[in-house]
Amino acid sequence: LTYCFSRRRRRRAEVKRIIKILKIDIDSDSDYRNAYEAENLVCYFWAVAYASFVTFVGLTLLFLATEIKLPEGEFLHVKLGGVDFPHEGSRLVFGMAFLGAYVWGLQHVFRRYSSNDLTSSVYYGFSMRMIFAAIIALVIYNAYTALAGSGDSKGEGGITANIWPAMAFLIGMFPQRGLRWLTEKFPILSPESDPSVRKAPLEMIEGIEIHDIMRLEEVGIDTCYDLATADFVPLVLKTPYSARQLIDWILQAKLCSYFGEAVKDLRLHGIRTVTDLNTLDEGGTKIDELAKTTTVTKLALECAFRSVKKEEKESNEIERLRKAGQVLGRFWEDKSVPK
């Protein structure tokens, strides 16, 4: 309620400022008008109601197992191929993972509130994260118990049943790491990948952290390739990031799309974004030196240099991004800069 009636106005004012500076006619262009359509109170009501229901069920299973008459405070066991599932202790592991995701979610909601970016989808994502984390912890616990050949208190590596609740809480805070454990133990769960395709996760970009990755994923940006080809104007309207920050990330993503993990070597030589390739000279000594001192080949450097420097479409896009950053990044009138 505080966000709907107070802080959301700040975000709407910033969006109006961006639209005015970029001279977008939202009255005649409905696409840009719909890029940031203020959600009404009903949208928030259903989102918060859903998150509240999921939270109520999960925390009830954790703290009120006896009161809701669960037998011996555990989930009901079923026979799967002659094996009891879930194992004893699964209810506590499930609940602690749920609690970990709940605590993490509170921090995430406050972060989105502070950045004037608390949309209704945050609560749906919050709910799905709690469910996802609890299920992942439950599967890991039962898989580990089965691999250890024990259904009671002891397992491999000295991990006892008393440690599992704390482990489950951490899995709830970081469910992706729990999922990574599963894929390592069971390779059949790992998706097949083409070795010729360079991996370019958003973590490769300097300045992006887990909350930023989650926010970009909400608008369909999962990799550096997606960010490198993203349309800048809808992105700056839909997300709380400043124009200069988004432009810096996009230019970094373009460099990552050219070289993949080899950008780590290029950063050591002062090449951080795709615009830094302009400092190279085709056929000169700089490209030869980089080819000798990094894992990047001379051919790859020359191809990227020509693409940035000589291809009209790519160079024009980079120039437009640079000018947009200059205009939107000014909070005072600078008469020395031509309009």
Side-chain angles (χ1 to χ4, degrees):
L1 289 174
T2 303
Y3 179 78
C4 285
F5 294 114
S6 176
R7 298 188 67 91
R8 186 176 57 164
R9 297 177 183 175
R10 303 181 187 179
R11 176 60 186 165
R12 295 177 68 179
E14 175 63 16
V15 170
K16 290 180 179 178
R17 171 185 172 273
I18 294 172
I19 291 175
K20 181 179 179 181
I21 292 176
L22 295 180
K23 299 179 180 180
I24 300 173
D25 187 1
I26 61 174
D27 294 327
S28 60
D29 195 338
S30 60
D31 291 337
Y32 281 116
R33 183 172 62 251
N34 295 331
Y36 186 85
E37 188 71 26
E39 296 175 314
N40 55 39
L41 194 59
V42 175
C43 296
Y44 285 96
F45 172 80
W46 288 113
V48 175
Y50 176 71
S52 300
F53 173 76
V54 172
T55 302
F56 173 79
V57 172
L59 297 183
T60 297
L61 288 173
L62 175 61
F63 294 112
L64 302 175
T66 304
E67 286 75 0
I68 60 177
K69 308 299 183 183
L70 284 180
E72 300 181 359
E74 290 292 340
F75 291 139
L76 295 176
H77 300 287
V78 296
K79 286 285 186 180
L80 295 176
V83 178
D84 285 335
F85 181 86
H87 289 294
E88 183 179 352
S90 293
R91 193 272 309 173
L92 181 58
V93 168
F94 180 94
M96 288 301 294
F98 189 95
L99 181 63
Y102 176 72
V103 172
W104 186 94
L106 292 179
Q107 178 195 14
H108 182 64
V109 168
F110 175 74
R111 181 187 178 94
R112 296 289 291 267
Y113 172 85
S114 300
S115 61
N116 299 325
D117 190 38
L118 188 60
T119 60
S120 61
S121 62
V122 172
Y123 293 97
Y124 291 112
F126 180 21
S127 305
M128 294 307 300
R129 184 183 179 92
M130 290 189 291
I131 296 171
F132 175 72
I135 293 175
I136 288 293
L138 179 67
V139 172
I140 288 178
Y141 173 72
N142 284 270
Y144 189 93
T145 304
L147 290 174
S150 173
D152 46 39
S153 62
K154 294 190 179 291
E156 290 183 356
I159 296 181
T160 66
N162 294 327
I163 297 178
W164 269 108
M167 296 273 293
F169 183 85
L170 294 177
I171 291 175
M173 296 284 286
F174 311 102
Q176 294 297 337
R177 298 183 184 181
L179 186 61
R180 190 178 306 156
W181 182 91
L182 276 179
T183 56
E184 290 175 354
K185 291 293 183 180
F186 302 96
I188 193 174
L189 300 177
S190 302
E192 295 184 3
S193 58
D194 190 337
S196 64
V197 178
R198 291 191 297 264
K199 294 183 179 180
L202 291 173
E203 289 89 343
M204 294 176 61
I205 298 176
E206 291 182 330
I208 283 187
E209 58 180 34
I210 182 63
H211 293 280
D212 303 319
I213 291 174
M214 292 181 60
R215 185 64 183 94
L216 292 174
E217 287 176 347
E218 290 181 17
V219 292
I221 297 176
D222 302 308
T223 66
C224 290
Y225 300 111
D226 299 327
L227 186 56
T229 57
D231 191 355
F232 169 73
V233 175
L235 194 60
V236 77
L237 292 177
K238 291 180 180 180
T239 62
Y241 305 112
S242 67
R244 288 187 174 182
Q245 189 173 31
L246 283 175
I247 291 170
D248 178 69
W249 289 351
I250 291 173
L251 295 179
Q252 286 191 64
K254 287 182 178 293
L255 187 69
C256 293
S257 65
Y258 281 123
F259 301 108
E261 293 185 355
V263 295
K264 299 176 183 178
D265 293 336
L266 295 177
R267 286 171 184 159
L268 297 177
H269 292 79
I271 299 178
R272 181 174 172 273
T273 69
V274 71
T275 55
D276 294 328
L277 293 176
N278 290 327
T279 61
L280 303 180
D281 49 345
E282 188 175 15
T285 59
K286 290 186 178 180
I287 290 181
D288 291 332
E289 291 176 0
L290 284 175
K292 293 177 181 179
T293 57
T294 66
T295 57
V296 184
T297 64
K298 181 178 179 180
L299 179 60
L301 287 167
E302 289 178 344
C303 290
F305 174 81
R306 285 195 295 268
S307 178
V308 174
K309 195 77 173 179
K310 298 183 178 181
E311 288 189 11
E312 183 177 356
K313 182 179 179 181
E314 183 73 7
S315 60
N316 287 344
E317 181 183 355
I318 293 174
E319 181 63 18
R320 286 196 298 270
L321 286 173
R322 188 185 66 81
K323 290 181 178 179
Q326 289 178 343
V327 174
L328 292 175
R330 291 207 313 273
F331 282 87
W332 58 86
E333 184 68 21
D334 187 354
K335 296 181 179 180
S336 64
V337 179
K339 295 184 178 180

